Amino acid sequence: MIHASPPAQSAPATTVAVEVHDVTVAYQRKPVLWDVDVNIPAAKLTAIVGPNGAGKSTLLKAILGLVPLASGRVEIFGKPLRRARSLIGYVPQRETVDWDFPVSALDVVLMGRYGHLGWFARPKTSDRDLAMESLRKVAMVEFASRQISELSGGQQQRVFLARALAQQAELYFMDEPFAGVDAATEKAIVDVLRDLRAQGKTVVAVHHDLQTVPEYFDHVLLLNMRLVASGSIDECFTQANLQRTYGGRLTLLDEAAEAVRLGRVRR
Amino acid sequence: MDGFLRLITLQDSSTRTVLVGTVILGIAAAIVGTFAVLRRRALVGDAAAHAALPGTCVAFFVVGDRSFAGFMLGALLFALLAAAFVAFVKSATRVKEDAAIGLAIGGFFGFGIVLSRIIQRHPTGNKAGLDSFIFGKAASMIESDVRLIAIVAAIVVAVVLLLYKEFTLLCFDRDFAQSQGWPATALDLILMTLICGCTVIGLPAVGVVLVVSMLVLPPVAARFWSDRLSTVVILSAIFGALAAFLGTAISATAPVPGIAGFSNSGWPTGPIITIVSASIFILSMLIAPRRGVLAAGLRAFLLRRRIGLQNLLRSVYEHLEPGGDLGRPWAIGAAGEHSAAAPRAHRAGLITTNQDGRFQLTHAGQQAASELVRVHRLWELFLIEQAAIAPDHVDRDADQIEHLLPAAVLAELEERLQQTGRMPIGPSVVPTSPHPTMGPP
């Protein structure tokens, strides 16, 4: 295993929400995540940060079991994924969905309750009430019966967030929740995040805007195919670490990956 | 015509069987088809239908000519094989879905034609087999066939209703479904099996080439009428039943040149059902109130006219504003380029012509114009203040947005401008325009 330099980590928090052990993910022969080993602390807001193509979304999907791991394993609150499903909420990227689908905002938020319902069961009144409450938390109650294609990008993002809130999870994964949203939505999302932290929930979010990382989050995970650094904002979100994450020239690891892909090196 | 009426009132016992069969089929296919279309798997149904040909041929070799159930089973097996083939090619190679479907259709159907040739030379082979397989031969459906079709259709619909929320979730957001722990691949497989099942029971009635239209046309037509999934599914079933009913009736009774009455040489059912279904679709596409083409065109036309009239009033106002008197007459050419709307403004009582032939605003026109300008300038202020747009660029932007704003948003806008101290005067007076307007000539 090649490390450009050992990943820097601050002292582990008292409880760990997600343990990522030596995870490698590869598409065909090109590695996307390489030997990522990190503990994400509970009851904190953690940002995953890195340049385009760094594998940030892939890391989320790998943790959630949506992409296969070439090697390594993941534990959530000390349990394997399949036993921790009910503890997880997920806000995927908006682009993954066809917004012309014939459902209303409330229908989408109700889908957050499906995990608790089990096979064949229909949502109950209590589920509907919870869904409406989630919409209220993101200031979207007036849009409950609106078809989702009539919503703006920011409103769609808030509906996705409400859906995750309806899952009533302990740990929330969010993939670029602030991407392309208006100022009002950004504020609404930040309020929800702070609310979640006050309740002791954990949030792990892929975030693209370096400016707002120290303002919105407590912890940061710097990723560029491999883990560059992880820890509290104060200790980790430094110029040196950012330079190592976003540095312009190809790192030793990237050159090696290229060589493998082109078949010049036998693995 | 007489025969047609007898038929649709179900008085003719021999056709009643056929009608029941195709209607049940139409309903099941439309319901499954709704999810097939939402999941973008509709064309895989086409591949499945074409793969059914070698399936029925193989069934013939195995169980002979007499077993309808045997044919259906063989067809289903090969249909599933084709669907699996498409999925495999997509996941294991770089071949895209449309090419993979083409591969399946060509490969399986070609193989099937070869097999059916062999069967036709076989002593017990059915000579008319290939034709009725391709075009459907609903007229030769007997009661036991219809019973089998009904059973399969009932199972298919029952499974869809049982797994309604699971399929909805799968079709809308597969990743999210998986993250909740739903077995997305298994659900996809079940849906695919249901599609293949519907395809296979549709073959005797409408034939291989057109059975996919029974899956696709009703849901797409239904989508024009509703934004709620449950309504779309129900409407789709209604459209499917209607197309099947009318299509079968027409194909049985419509005069074929040279041949009259209901007989085995009537029109083939498949194409007629498809034509009825397509007509329902075209009608829906045109006349549906919100998503239909005509309604959208009308809305766009009315909006353009409304904007034209409002632009006229605004440019008249800005022309008159420096002089302080909104009621004074002006020469029409001096007040801007939107005089195409002038006749309508006259009819609406906003403008009158005085004895000299010059136009002037009526009281109603003055009110309308100053209200319009107030809203417009509120937006301009907002865009400059909040969105940091240079003042000279503002007019164009404010123009478009203003015509699409609901009243509640306007009220909020005014409130915010008041709070930030940017609303220069009271609600009945017009704020000064932040960029130079055209003055008097």
PDB file of all heavy atoms in Angstrom, chain B residues 274-309:
ATOM      1  N   THR B 274     -54.026  -1.288 -30.817  1.00  0.00           N
ATOM      2  CA  THR B 274     -52.947  -0.301 -30.751  1.00  0.00           C
ATOM      3  C   THR B 274     -53.394   1.034 -31.319  1.00  0.00           C
ATOM      4  O   THR B 274     -53.070   2.091 -30.764  1.00  0.00           O
ATOM      5  CB  THR B 274     -51.719  -0.808 -31.505  1.00  0.00           C
ATOM      6  OG1 THR B 274     -51.309  -2.048 -30.953  1.00  0.00           O
ATOM      7  CG2 THR B 274     -50.587   0.188 -31.415  1.00  0.00           C
ATOM      8  N   ILE B 275     -54.132   1.014 -32.408  1.00  0.00           N
ATOM      9  CA  ILE B 275     -54.589   2.272 -33.000  1.00  0.00           C
ATOM     10  C   ILE B 275     -55.539   2.996 -32.045  1.00  0.00           C
ATOM     11  O   ILE B 275     -55.444   4.213 -31.863  1.00  0.00           O
ATOM     12  CB  ILE B 275     -55.277   2.009 -34.353  1.00  0.00           C
ATOM     13  CG1 ILE B 275     -54.223   1.637 -35.402  1.00  0.00           C
ATOM     14  CG2 ILE B 275     -56.035   3.244 -34.816  1.00  0.00           C
ATOM     15  CD1 ILE B 275     -54.793   1.265 -36.740  1.00  0.00           C
ATOM     16  N   VAL B 276     -56.449   2.242 -31.418  1.00  0.00           N
ATOM     17  CA  VAL B 276     -57.355   2.883 -30.455  1.00  0.00           C
ATOM     18  C   VAL B 276     -56.545   3.472 -29.301  1.00  0.00           C
ATOM     19  O   VAL B 276     -56.761   4.605 -28.868  1.00  0.00           O
ATOM     20  CB  VAL B 276     -58.393   1.874 -29.924  1.00  0.00           C
ATOM     21  CG1 VAL B 276     -59.230   2.514 -28.832  1.00  0.00           C
ATOM     22  CG2 VAL B 276     -59.285   1.391 -31.051  1.00  0.00           C
ATOM     23  N   SER B 277     -55.570   2.698 -28.802  1.00  0.00           N
ATOM     24  CA  SER B 277     -54.743   3.164 -27.692  1.00  0.00           C
ATOM     25  C   SER B 277     -53.961   4.411 -28.083  1.00  0.00           C
ATOM     26  O   SER B 277     -53.848   5.363 -27.314  1.00  0.00           O
ATOM     27  CB  SER B 277     -53.786   2.038 -27.282  1.00  0.00           C
ATOM     28  OG  SER B 277     -53.364   2.187 -25.957  1.00  0.00           O
ATOM     29  N   ALA B 278     -53.419   4.408 -29.294  1.00  0.00           N
ATOM     30  CA  ALA B 278     -52.654   5.563 -29.758  1.00  0.00           C
ATOM     31  C   ALA B 278     -53.562   6.775 -29.914  1.00  0.00           C
ATOM     32  O   ALA B 278     -53.140   7.911 -29.647  1.00  0.00           O
ATOM     33  CB  ALA B 278     -51.954   5.235 -31.081  1.00  0.00           C
ATOM     34  N   SER B 279     -54.807   6.542 -30.338  1.00  0.00           N
ATOM     35  CA  SER B 279     -55.740   7.662 -30.465  1.00  0.00           C
ATOM     36  C   SER B 279     -56.027   8.275 -29.110  1.00  0.00           C
ATOM     37  O   SER B 279     -56.089   9.497 -28.970  1.00  0.00           O
ATOM     38  CB  SER B 279     -57.054   7.202 -31.104  1.00  0.00           C
ATOM     39  OG  SER B 279     -56.802   6.502 -32.291  1.00  0.00           O
ATOM     40  N   ILE B 280     -56.202   7.418 -28.104  1.00  0.00           N
ATOM     41  CA  ILE B 280     -56.410   7.933 -26.747  1.00  0.00           C
ATOM     42  C   ILE B 280     -55.206   8.766 -26.331  1.00  0.00           C
ATOM     43  O   ILE B 280     -55.333   9.834 -25.729  1.00  0.00           O
ATOM     44  CB  ILE B 280     -56.636   6.774 -25.757  1.00  0.00           C
ATOM     45  CG1 ILE B 280     -57.916   6.030 -26.089  1.00  0.00           C
ATOM     46  CG2 ILE B 280     -56.694   7.297 -24.318  1.00  0.00           C
ATOM     47  CD1 ILE B 280     -58.165   4.811 -25.232  1.00  0.00           C
ATOM     48  N   PHE B 281     -54.009   8.274 -26.661  1.00  0.00           N
ATOM     49  CA  PHE B 281     -52.800   9.008 -26.305  1.00  0.00           C
ATOM     50  C   PHE B 281     -52.753  10.371 -26.996  1.00  0.00           C
ATOM     51  O   PHE B 281     -52.493  11.397 -26.368  1.00  0.00           O
ATOM     52  CB  PHE B 281     -51.563   8.188 -26.672  1.00  0.00           C
ATOM     53  CG  PHE B 281     -50.307   8.994 -26.719  1.00  0.00           C
ATOM     54  CD1 PHE B 281     -49.739   9.470 -25.554  1.00  0.00           C
ATOM     55  CD2 PHE B 281     -49.719   9.312 -27.930  1.00  0.00           C
ATOM     56  CE1 PHE B 281     -48.591  10.236 -25.591  1.00  0.00           C
ATOM     57  CE2 PHE B 281     -48.574  10.077 -27.972  1.00  0.00           C
ATOM     58  CZ  PHE B 281     -48.005  10.544 -26.797  1.00  0.00           C
ATOM     59  N   ILE B 282     -53.012  10.384 -28.300  1.00  0.00           N
ATOM     60  CA  ILE B 282     -52.928  11.654 -29.036  1.00  0.00           C
ATOM     61  C   ILE B 282     -53.967  12.640 -28.513  1.00  0.00           C
ATOM     62  O   ILE B 282     -53.687  13.824 -28.323  1.00  0.00           O
ATOM     63  CB  ILE B 282     -53.104  11.411 -30.547  1.00  0.00           C
ATOM     64  CG1 ILE B 282     -51.885  10.690 -31.096  1.00  0.00           C
ATOM     65  CG2 ILE B 282     -53.310  12.720 -31.286  1.00  0.00           C
ATOM     66  CD1 ILE B 282     -51.992  10.299 -32.534  1.00  0.00           C
ATOM     67  N   LEU B 283     -55.165  12.143 -28.249  1.00  0.00           N
ATOM     68  CA  LEU B 283     -56.198  12.997 -27.694  1.00  0.00           C
ATOM     69  C   LEU B 283     -55.756  13.576 -26.352  1.00  0.00           C
ATOM     70  O   LEU B 283     -55.892  14.774 -26.091  1.00  0.00           O
ATOM     71  CB  LEU B 283     -57.475  12.170 -27.514  1.00  0.00           C
ATOM     72  CG  LEU B 283     -58.780  12.943 -27.591  1.00  0.00           C
ATOM     73  CD1 LEU B 283     -58.934  13.527 -28.978  1.00  0.00           C
ATOM     74  CD2 LEU B 283     -59.958  12.025 -27.288  1.00  0.00           C
ATOM     75  N   SER B 284     -55.190  12.716 -25.495  1.00  0.00           N
ATOM     76  CA  SER B 284     -54.720  13.180 -24.185  1.00  0.00           C
ATOM     77  C   SER B 284     -53.640  14.232 -24.347  1.00  0.00           C
ATOM     78  O   SER B 284     -53.644  15.261 -23.674  1.00  0.00           O
ATOM     79  CB  SER B 284     -54.163  12.009 -23.372  1.00  0.00           C
ATOM     80  OG  SER B 284     -55.126  11.007 -23.221  1.00  0.00           O
ATOM     81  N   MET B 285     -52.717  13.947 -25.261  1.00  0.00           N
ATOM     82  CA  MET B 285     -51.608  14.871 -25.463  1.00  0.00           C
ATOM     83  C   MET B 285     -52.128  16.240 -25.892  1.00  0.00           C
ATOM     84  O   MET B 285     -51.588  17.274 -25.529  1.00  0.00           O
ATOM     85  CB  MET B 285     -50.663  14.308 -26.526  1.00  0.00           C
ATOM     86  CG  MET B 285     -49.436  15.163 -26.762  1.00  0.00           C
ATOM     87  SD  MET B 285     -48.339  14.455 -27.994  1.00  0.00           S
ATOM     88  CE  MET B 285     -49.243  14.779 -29.481  1.00  0.00           C
ATOM     89  N   LEU B 286     -53.189  16.251 -26.684  1.00  0.00           N
ATOM     90  CA  LEU B 286     -53.689  17.528 -27.181  1.00  0.00           C
ATOM     91  C   LEU B 286     -54.546  18.253 -26.158  1.00  0.00           C
ATOM     92  O   LEU B 286     -54.349  19.423 -25.893  1.00  0.00           O
ATOM     93  CB  LEU B 286     -54.494  17.301 -28.468  1.00  0.00           C
ATOM     94  CG  LEU B 286     -53.678  16.938 -29.699  1.00  0.00           C
ATOM     95  CD1 LEU B 286     -54.601  16.668 -30.877  1.00  0.00           C
ATOM     96  CD2 LEU B 286     -52.711  18.062 -30.051  1.00  0.00           C
ATOM     97  N   ILE B 287     -55.522  17.544 -25.563  1.00  0.00           N
ATOM     98  CA  ILE B 287     -56.552  18.284 -24.830  1.00  0.00           C
ATOM     99  C   ILE B 287     -56.417  18.248 -23.316  1.00  0.00           C
ATOM    100  O   ILE B 287     -57.185  18.894 -22.627  1.00  0.00           O
ATOM    101  CB  ILE B 287     -57.968  17.802 -25.215  1.00  0.00           C
ATOM    102  CG1 ILE B 287     -58.206  16.383 -24.670  1.00  0.00           C
ATOM    103  CG2 ILE B 287     -58.171  17.865 -26.701  1.00  0.00           C
ATOM    104  CD1 ILE B 287     -59.636  15.930 -24.863  1.00  0.00           C
ATOM    105  N   ALA B 288     -55.476  17.515 -22.774  1.00  0.00           N
ATOM    106  CA  ALA B 288     -55.368  17.477 -21.311  1.00  0.00           C
ATOM    107  C   ALA B 288     -55.154  18.884 -20.782  1.00  0.00           C
ATOM    108  O   ALA B 288     -54.352  19.639 -21.324  1.00  0.00           O
ATOM    109  CB  ALA B 288     -54.213  16.572 -20.889  1.00  0.00           C
ATOM    110  N   PRO B 289     -55.867  19.275 -19.705  1.00  0.00           N
ATOM    111  CA  PRO B 289     -55.904  20.679 -19.315  1.00  0.00           C
ATOM    112  C   PRO B 289     -54.586  21.272 -18.843  1.00  0.00           C
ATOM    113  O   PRO B 289     -54.309  22.419 -19.161  1.00  0.00           O
ATOM    114  CB  PRO B 289     -56.944  20.721 -18.188  1.00  0.00           C
ATOM    115  CG  PRO B 289     -57.136  19.311 -17.781  1.00  0.00           C
ATOM    116  CD  PRO B 289     -56.807  18.451 -18.941  1.00  0.00           C
ATOM    117  N   ARG B 290     -53.767  20.511 -18.127  1.00  0.00           N
ATOM    118  CA  ARG B 290     -52.567  21.185 -17.631  1.00  0.00           C
ATOM    119  C   ARG B 290     -51.320  20.830 -18.418  1.00  0.00           C
ATOM    120  O   ARG B 290     -50.522  21.689 -18.728  1.00  0.00           O
ATOM    121  CB  ARG B 290     -52.363  20.863 -16.147  1.00  0.00           C
ATOM    122  CG  ARG B 290     -53.342  21.628 -15.272  1.00  0.00           C
ATOM    123  CD  ARG B 290     -53.091  21.367 -13.808  1.00  0.00           C
ATOM    124  NE  ARG B 290     -51.775  21.830 -13.431  1.00  0.00           N
ATOM    125  CZ  ARG B 290     -50.996  21.211 -12.554  1.00  0.00           C
ATOM    126  NH1 ARG B 290     -51.411  20.118 -11.980  1.00  0.00           N
ATOM    127  NH2 ARG B 290     -49.817  21.687 -12.262  1.00  0.00           N
ATOM    128  N   ARG B 291     -51.166  19.547 -18.732  1.00  0.00           N
ATOM    129  CA  ARG B 291     -49.943  19.136 -19.404  1.00  0.00           C
ATOM    130  C   ARG B 291     -50.124  18.986 -20.911  1.00  0.00           C
ATOM    131  O   ARG B 291     -49.195  18.669 -21.621  1.00  0.00           O
ATOM    132  CB  ARG B 291     -49.462  17.803 -18.813  1.00  0.00           C
ATOM    133  CG  ARG B 291     -49.044  17.927 -17.359  1.00  0.00           C
ATOM    134  CD  ARG B 291     -48.792  16.570 -16.758  1.00  0.00           C
ATOM    135  NE  ARG B 291     -47.564  15.983 -17.251  1.00  0.00           N
ATOM    136  CZ  ARG B 291     -46.424  15.963 -16.589  1.00  0.00           C
ATOM    137  NH1 ARG B 291     -46.349  16.525 -15.409  1.00  0.00           N
ATOM    138  NH2 ARG B 291     -45.349  15.405 -17.094  1.00  0.00           N
ATOM    139  N   GLY B 292     -51.350  19.162 -21.386  1.00  0.00           N
ATOM    140  CA  GLY B 292     -51.601  18.969 -22.809  1.00  0.00           C
ATOM    141  C   GLY B 292     -50.980  20.075 -23.645  1.00  0.00           C
ATOM    142  O   GLY B 292     -50.756  21.188 -23.192  1.00  0.00           O
ATOM    143  N   VAL B 293     -50.736  19.723 -24.892  1.00  0.00           N
ATOM    144  CA  VAL B 293     -50.037  20.638 -25.797  1.00  0.00           C
ATOM    145  C   VAL B 293     -50.873  21.879 -26.088  1.00  0.00           C
ATOM    146  O   VAL B 293     -50.387  23.006 -26.064  1.00  0.00           O
ATOM    147  CB  VAL B 293     -49.694  19.888 -27.103  1.00  0.00           C
ATOM    148  CG1 VAL B 293     -49.396  20.854 -28.210  1.00  0.00           C
ATOM    149  CG2 VAL B 293     -48.525  18.960 -26.878  1.00  0.00           C
ATOM    150  N   LEU B 294     -52.162  21.670 -26.359  1.00  0.00           N
ATOM    151  CA  LEU B 294     -53.007  22.818 -26.694  1.00  0.00           C
ATOM    152  C   LEU B 294     -53.145  23.757 -25.499  1.00  0.00           C
ATOM    153  O   LEU B 294     -53.069  24.975 -25.647  1.00  0.00           O
ATOM    154  CB  LEU B 294     -54.399  22.342 -27.139  1.00  0.00           C
ATOM    155  CG  LEU B 294     -54.417  21.631 -28.484  1.00  0.00           C
ATOM    156  CD1 LEU B 294     -55.827  21.161 -28.818  1.00  0.00           C
ATOM    157  CD2 LEU B 294     -53.899  22.551 -29.577  1.00  0.00           C
ATOM    158  N   ALA B 295     -53.323  23.168 -24.319  1.00  0.00           N
ATOM    159  CA  ALA B 295     -53.471  24.008 -23.122  1.00  0.00           C
ATOM    160  C   ALA B 295     -52.205  24.812 -22.879  1.00  0.00           C
ATOM    161  O   ALA B 295     -52.258  26.001 -22.556  1.00  0.00           O
ATOM    162  CB  ALA B 295     -53.793  23.142 -21.910  1.00  0.00           C
ATOM    163  N   ALA B 296     -51.048  24.185 -23.049  1.00  0.00           N
ATOM    164  CA  ALA B 296     -49.785  24.889 -22.832  1.00  0.00           C
ATOM    165  C   ALA B 296     -49.624  26.011 -23.846  1.00  0.00           C
ATOM    166  O   ALA B 296     -49.207  27.122 -23.513  1.00  0.00           O
ATOM    167  CB  ALA B 296     -48.613  23.911 -22.921  1.00  0.00           C
ATOM    168  N   GLY B 297     -49.972  25.726 -25.091  1.00  0.00           N
ATOM    169  CA  GLY B 297     -49.871  26.748 -26.129  1.00  0.00           C
ATOM    170  C   GLY B 297     -50.781  27.926 -25.839  1.00  0.00           C
ATOM    171  O   GLY B 297     -50.395  29.093 -25.987  1.00  0.00           O
ATOM    172  N   LEU B 298     -52.001  27.620 -25.377  1.00  0.00           N
ATOM    173  CA  LEU B 298     -52.946  28.685 -25.061  1.00  0.00           C
ATOM    174  C   LEU B 298     -52.438  29.541 -23.917  1.00  0.00           C
ATOM    175  O   LEU B 298     -52.506  30.774 -23.961  1.00  0.00           O
ATOM    176  CB  LEU B 298     -54.300  28.064 -24.691  1.00  0.00           C
ATOM    177  CG  LEU B 298     -55.443  29.062 -24.486  1.00  0.00           C
ATOM    178  CD1 LEU B 298     -55.754  29.762 -25.791  1.00  0.00           C
ATOM    179  CD2 LEU B 298     -56.683  28.350 -23.966  1.00  0.00           C
ATOM    180  N   ARG B 299     -51.899  28.881 -22.883  1.00  0.00           N
ATOM    181  CA  ARG B 299     -51.369  29.627 -21.741  1.00  0.00           C
ATOM    182  C   ARG B 299     -50.233  30.546 -22.171  1.00  0.00           C
ATOM    183  O   ARG B 299     -50.173  31.714 -21.759  1.00  0.00           O
ATOM    184  CB  ARG B 299     -50.873  28.669 -20.656  1.00  0.00           C
ATOM    185  CG  ARG B 299     -51.944  28.184 -19.714  1.00  0.00           C
ATOM    186  CD  ARG B 299     -51.325  27.573 -18.480  1.00  0.00           C
ATOM    187  NE  ARG B 299     -50.376  26.519 -18.783  1.00  0.00           N
ATOM    188  CZ  ARG B 299     -50.699  25.245 -18.944  1.00  0.00           C
ATOM    189  NH1 ARG B 299     -51.961  24.871 -18.833  1.00  0.00           N
ATOM    190  NH2 ARG B 299     -49.783  24.350 -19.213  1.00  0.00           N
ATOM    191  N   ALA B 300     -49.340  30.010 -23.020  1.00  0.00           N
ATOM    192  CA  ALA B 300     -48.211  30.830 -23.470  1.00  0.00           C
ATOM    193  C   ALA B 300     -48.706  32.022 -24.280  1.00  0.00           C
ATOM    194  O   ALA B 300     -48.234  33.143 -24.117  1.00  0.00           O
ATOM    195  CB  ALA B 300     -47.245  29.975 -24.301  1.00  0.00           C
ATOM    196  N   PHE B 301     -49.708  31.780 -25.132  1.00  0.00           N
ATOM    197  CA  PHE B 301     -50.260  32.847 -25.955  1.00  0.00           C
ATOM    198  C   PHE B 301     -50.894  33.927 -25.080  1.00  0.00           C
ATOM    199  O   PHE B 301     -50.642  35.116 -25.266  1.00  0.00           O
ATOM    200  CB  PHE B 301     -51.295  32.257 -26.913  1.00  0.00           C
ATOM    201  CG  PHE B 301     -52.077  33.273 -27.681  1.00  0.00           C
ATOM    202  CD1 PHE B 301     -51.473  34.014 -28.688  1.00  0.00           C
ATOM    203  CD2 PHE B 301     -53.423  33.512 -27.386  1.00  0.00           C
ATOM    204  CE1 PHE B 301     -52.192  34.967 -29.396  1.00  0.00           C
ATOM    205  CE2 PHE B 301     -54.143  34.462 -28.094  1.00  0.00           C
ATOM    206  CZ  PHE B 301     -53.531  35.192 -29.104  1.00  0.00           C
ATOM    207  N   LEU B 302     -51.710  33.512 -24.111  1.00  0.00           N
ATOM    208  CA  LEU B 302     -52.367  34.490 -23.246  1.00  0.00           C
ATOM    209  C   LEU B 302     -51.349  35.268 -22.429  1.00  0.00           C
ATOM    210  O   LEU B 302     -51.511  36.473 -22.206  1.00  0.00           O
ATOM    211  CB  LEU B 302     -53.356  33.775 -22.318  1.00  0.00           C
ATOM    212  CG  LEU B 302     -54.604  33.231 -23.002  1.00  0.00           C
ATOM    213  CD1 LEU B 302     -55.456  32.439 -22.009  1.00  0.00           C
ATOM    214  CD2 LEU B 302     -55.422  34.363 -23.605  1.00  0.00           C
ATOM    215  N   LEU B 303     -50.292  34.588 -21.992  1.00  0.00           N
ATOM    216  CA  LEU B 303     -49.262  35.276 -21.218  1.00  0.00           C
ATOM    217  C   LEU B 303     -48.567  36.328 -22.064  1.00  0.00           C
ATOM    218  O   LEU B 303     -48.346  37.466 -21.625  1.00  0.00           O
ATOM    219  CB  LEU B 303     -48.227  34.274 -20.685  1.00  0.00           C
ATOM    220  CG  LEU B 303     -47.121  34.891 -19.833  1.00  0.00           C
ATOM    221  CD1 LEU B 303     -47.706  35.432 -18.534  1.00  0.00           C
ATOM    222  CD2 LEU B 303     -46.032  33.878 -19.527  1.00  0.00           C
ATOM    223  N   ARG B 304     -48.261  35.992 -23.322  1.00  0.00           N
ATOM    224  CA  ARG B 304     -47.604  36.968 -24.195  1.00  0.00           C
ATOM    225  C   ARG B 304     -48.488  38.183 -24.387  1.00  0.00           C
ATOM    226  O   ARG B 304     -48.034  39.324 -24.375  1.00  0.00           O
ATOM    227  CB  ARG B 304     -47.267  36.331 -25.545  1.00  0.00           C
ATOM    228  CG  ARG B 304     -45.959  35.578 -25.572  1.00  0.00           C
ATOM    229  CD  ARG B 304     -45.481  35.343 -26.982  1.00  0.00           C
ATOM    230  NE  ARG B 304     -46.484  34.754 -27.850  1.00  0.00           N
ATOM    231  CZ  ARG B 304     -46.713  33.449 -27.929  1.00  0.00           C
ATOM    232  NH1 ARG B 304     -46.012  32.612 -27.213  1.00  0.00           N
ATOM    233  NH2 ARG B 304     -47.646  32.983 -28.746  1.00  0.00           N
ATOM    234  N   ARG B 305     -49.789  37.936 -24.559  1.00  0.00           N
ATOM    235  CA  ARG B 305     -50.706  39.067 -24.753  1.00  0.00           C
ATOM    236  C   ARG B 305     -50.779  39.940 -23.518  1.00  0.00           C
ATOM    237  O   ARG B 305     -50.783  41.169 -23.597  1.00  0.00           O
ATOM    238  CB  ARG B 305     -52.102  38.542 -25.108  1.00  0.00           C
ATOM    239  CG  ARG B 305     -52.169  37.999 -26.508  1.00  0.00           C
ATOM    240  CD  ARG B 305     -53.530  37.911 -27.097  1.00  0.00           C
ATOM    241  NE  ARG B 305     -54.638  38.165 -26.208  1.00  0.00           N
ATOM    242  CZ  ARG B 305     -55.865  38.370 -26.643  1.00  0.00           C
ATOM    243  NH1 ARG B 305     -56.111  38.378 -27.935  1.00  0.00           N
ATOM    244  NH2 ARG B 305     -56.845  38.556 -25.789  1.00  0.00           N
ATOM    245  N   ARG B 306     -50.808  39.271 -22.361  1.00  0.00           N
ATOM    246  CA  ARG B 306     -50.892  40.023 -21.102  1.00  0.00           C
ATOM    247  C   ARG B 306     -49.644  40.886 -20.939  1.00  0.00           C
ATOM    248  O   ARG B 306     -49.715  42.058 -20.574  1.00  0.00           O
ATOM    249  CB  ARG B 306     -51.001  39.028 -19.945  1.00  0.00           C
ATOM    250  CG  ARG B 306     -51.569  39.631 -18.690  1.00  0.00           C
ATOM    251  CD  ARG B 306     -51.783  38.571 -17.644  1.00  0.00           C
ATOM    252  NE  ARG B 306     -50.929  38.796 -16.493  1.00  0.00           N
ATOM    253  CZ  ARG B 306     -50.252  37.855 -15.859  1.00  0.00           C
ATOM    254  NH1 ARG B 306     -50.293  36.615 -16.274  1.00  0.00           N
ATOM    255  NH2 ARG B 306     -49.510  38.141 -14.819  1.00  0.00           N
ATOM    256  N   ILE B 307     -48.502  40.296 -21.228  1.00  0.00           N
ATOM    257  CA  ILE B 307     -47.246  41.036 -21.109  1.00  0.00           C
ATOM    258  C   ILE B 307     -47.236  42.203 -22.079  1.00  0.00           C
ATOM    259  O   ILE B 307     -46.795  43.310 -21.744  1.00  0.00           O
ATOM    260  CB  ILE B 307     -46.041  40.096 -21.360  1.00  0.00           C
ATOM    261  CG1 ILE B 307     -45.894  39.125 -20.197  1.00  0.00           C
ATOM    262  CG2 ILE B 307     -44.765  40.883 -21.549  1.00  0.00           C
ATOM    263  CD1 ILE B 307     -44.790  38.120 -20.377  1.00  0.00           C
ATOM    264  N   GLY B 308     -47.725  41.970 -23.299  1.00  0.00           N
ATOM    265  CA  GLY B 308     -47.755  43.043 -24.289  1.00  0.00           C
ATOM    266  C   GLY B 308     -48.576  44.229 -23.791  1.00  0.00           C
ATOM    267  O   GLY B 308     -48.161  45.388 -23.897  1.00  0.00           O
ATOM    268  N   LEU B 309     -49.726  43.936 -23.213  1.00  0.00           N
ATOM    269  CA  LEU B 309     -50.585  45.008 -22.715  1.00  0.00           C
ATOM    270  C   LEU B 309     -49.929  45.744 -21.556  1.00  0.00           C
ATOM    271  O   LEU B 309     -49.935  46.981 -21.491  1.00  0.00           O
ATOM    272  CB  LEU B 309     -51.928  44.412 -22.272  1.00  0.00           C
ATOM    273  CG  LEU B 309     -52.962  45.399 -21.728  1.00  0.00           C
ATOM    274  CD1 LEU B 309     -53.303  46.430 -22.775  1.00  0.00           C
ATOM    275  CD2 LEU B 309     -54.221  44.659 -21.289  1.00  0.00           C
TER     276      LEU B 309
END
